[in-house]
Amino acid sequence: MVAIARPVVFSDVFPKIKARNYVLVIGFAALTALLAQVKIDLGFTPIPITGQTLGALLAGAALGMRLGALSQALYVGLGLFLPIYAGDKELSSGLDVVTGHTGGYLIGLILAAAVVGKLAERSQDRSFITSIPAMITGSAIVYVIGATYFAAVDHISVQKAIELGVTPFLIGDTFKSLIAGALLPVTWHFIN
């Protein structure tokens, strides 16, 4: 009897051809760049509502820790040269964005994808009950790194950074976590 290897993360479902990982990493970096263009400026804060977090959560869950983090690092790296960040036309690329008030959120995407990916490798993406906390954890990582960096760069208190860079986004990011948290278990259901 031959044992069939069970896929650890969603990307393991695809055939292991040489270019598979490259395609998936580039694909999820592109998805995050596309979701970054879904942007709503709030006016009272320099931090916009975007779809980037959803891209990072999905990347981690689908690709696992290493490839998920790599996809987000590629996104952040490409944004240094290409206008793919969620900003105004003049603020949608470059080192100024990464070192500015939204830079911590971009860096947080990388770590969030890694942590969500590690949780997915431990099968936390297989059911709605375990997937939602994994996605909320990923969002919380983006908040912690983003707000801390925002406070330091803009020389404001952490409390003010939370007021401007976390609180207005809680409802939207909860919704993104629910989307990502539901999408993966449904996908696994169809794969199984």
Side-chain angles (χ1 to χ4, degrees):
M1 185 173 253
V2 177
I4 298 174
R6 181 177 170 194
V8 177
V9 292
F10 179 69
S11 63
D12 292 336
V13 172
F14 296 101
K16 291 201 180 228
I17 57 173
K18 200 170 200 171
R20 178 192 78 166
N21 289 349
Y22 298 113
V23 170
L24 290 171
V25 166
I26 292 167
F28 274 93
L31 175 65
T32 304
L34 182 66
L35 289 170
Q37 305 318 304
V38 177
K39 178 180 110 78
I40 302 168
D41 289 315
L42 297 178
F44 62 89
T45 177
I47 312 298
I49 294 173
T50 73
Q52 293 170 116
T53 308
L54 178 59
L57 299 176
L58 291 173
L63 303 180
M65 183 176 87
R66 189 176 64 82
L67 295 179
L70 187 58
S71 74
Q72 297 312 289
L74 178 62
Y75 164 68
V76 173
L78 286 173
L80 293 172
F81 308 101
L82 302 171
I84 59 174
Y85 296 145
D88 299 327
K89 289 193 190 326
E90 65 275 0
L91 294 174
S92 62
S93 66
L95 188 58
D96 291 344
V97 178
V98 177
T99 59
H101 47 254
T102 59
Y105 297 94
L106 293 171
I107 294 164
L109 296 176
I110 300 167
L111 186 57
V115 170
V116 170
K118 187 64 174 175
L119 293 170
E121 290 170 4
R122 294 181 178 173
S123 299
Q124 298 299 300
D125 63 333
R126 304 288 173 115
S127 78
F128 189 72
I129 290 294
T130 57
S131 186
I132 296 298
M135 300 308 166
I136 290 172
T137 299
S139 291
I141 288 167
V142 174
Y143 284 147
V144 169
I145 295 172
T148 303
Y149 194 92
F150 177 33
V153 168
D154 280 28
H155 308 290
I156 58 176
S157 69
V158 172
Q159 181 181 348
K160 188 68 170 174
I162 291 169
E163 184 182 311
L164 295 175
V166 175
T167 306
F169 307 96
L170 289 173
I171 293 172
D173 281 337
T174 300
F175 184 66
K176 289 181 232 175
S177 293
L178 289 172
I179 291 171
L183 193 58
L184 269 294
V186 167
T187 304
W188 277 115
H189 175 75
F190 286 110
I191 289 171
N192 292 332

